[in-house]
Amino acid sequence: MGSNWEDFYANLPAPRDLDNSIELLKKFTERQGPSVRGIVLVTSGGTTVPLEHNTVRFVDNFSAGTRGSVSAEYFLERGYAVIFMFRHKTLEPYSRHFTGQKFLEMLETNEINGKNVVTVLPEHSERISEVLKKYKQALEQEKLLEITFTTVGEYLWLLRAACQALAPLGPRAILYLAAAVSDFYIPPNEMSVHKIPSSGPPNISLQLVPKILKPLVSLWVPRAFVVSFKLETDENLLISKARDALNKYNHNLVIANMLHTRKNKVVMVTKEKSYEITLSNEQIEKGEEIEKYIIDDLIIIYTRFLEAH
Ligand code: PMT
């Protein structure tokens, strides 16, 4: 157990609403006409690893869903349809601009004729309306589908379902796997049913999750353009690990990043070459986002891939 993805799925219960997600994915992919440039599956946010069936506690990771949600916007802007598969309650395209108290600070409330009226402060109006227009356009043109996961099990079932929906598109499907997926889990038959008692130190043993990139690239979407991410905390390992992944899974692009510099620097690794994309201090101060440059370069690499097909 743990090394074979088929055994892994056989022992992993499917999420209760999987059929509904399959239906949504099918309808969305079928609805995209021949004029669409391509459909991108963007995965985003971190997966949890439950410690109990009746889950009170779980192992989680740092991912906020910034990379995925920002990238989804740039793909949409460049004319691609996007399936945004994200961790419940992490950042989403468009609404990510207005999270938390920041949003409330953009509003004011006045009493007019005895009624409370909420308005946007004039200095924020342009910005909100620009984002809102893009959001509405993506919805009206039916270019954005959002589906959510929480646990690593839900993520893996949804990923396979999304691949099944995308496979008929051949090279017009792009997979952009930016989610931070757990490498470890507790198999369902080894997991406590109820809340682990605190009467003594728990003995928790995690097993390996098989690398799902393997069947994904070779079996599920063999003709698609597949982009994976590589995250490291030791700079000396970053490029060699990214290249190892590319050689092992034989997909199209690895985007390598370090935990603490991921917002300003990535390395694009293809079979032919590797090069950095970095934001200058000036670009950072202007509020530019590295994902804009990642997506623009990715589209150039993808266009070459399409021409070769
Ligand atoms: O969300 P943010 O806060 O903006 O952060 C963005 C990010 C750092 C999460 C993102 O840029 C990123 O690097 N995502 C991938 C993180 C990750 O899981 O890296 P990894 O080196 O552990 O895995 C490499 C690849 O293997 C991933 O593409 C993953 O999809 C794949 N994988 C992972 C586990 C698993 N069981 N099977 C897999 O196929």
Side-chain angles (χ1 to χ4, degrees), residues 63-67 178 183 209-213 229-230 257 262:
S63 171
T66 309
R67 177 82 77 226
D183 286 312
V209 175
K211 276 281 179 192
I212 289 307
L213 265 173
F229 280 76
K230 183 82 228 153
N257 52 183
R262 67 189 191 275

Side-chain angles (χ1 to χ4, degrees), residues 198-225:
S198 55
S199 44
N203 200 347
I204 294 164
S205 153
L206 300 172
Q207 306 287 326
L208 268 184
V209 175
K211 276 281 179 192
I212 289 307
L213 265 173
K214 197 170 185 205
L216 182 147
V217 175
S218 60
L219 299 172
W220 301 346
V221 280
R223 297 195 305 136
F225 184 79

Side-chain angles (χ1 to χ4, degrees), residues 8 43-46 61-69 91 152 155-156 159 177-184 208-216 227-232 241 245 249 251 254-259 262-263 266 291:
F8 178 82
T43 69
S44 182
N61 67 54
F62 67 94
S63 171
T66 309
R67 177 82 77 226
S69 59
L91 295 176
V152 62
Y155 170 89
L156 292 169
L159 181 65
L177 305 171
V181 182
S182 177
D183 286 312
F184 315 109
L208 268 184
V209 175
K211 276 281 179 192
I212 289 307
L213 265 173
K214 197 170 185 205
L216 182 147
V227 182
S228 75
F229 280 76
K230 183 82 228 153
L231 174 76
E232 285 299 333
K241 288 254 188 161
Y249 305 117
H251 55 303
V254 177
I255 302 178
N257 52 183
M258 296 289 295
L259 180 64
R262 67 189 191 275
K263 294 200 170 150
V266 300
E291 286 77 9

Side-chain angles (χ1 to χ4, degrees), residues 230-241:
K230 183 82 228 153
L231 174 76
E232 285 299 333
T233 55
D234 179 349
E235 185 117 45
N236 298 321
L237 298 178
L238 187 67
I239 305 305
S240 61
K241 288 254 188 161

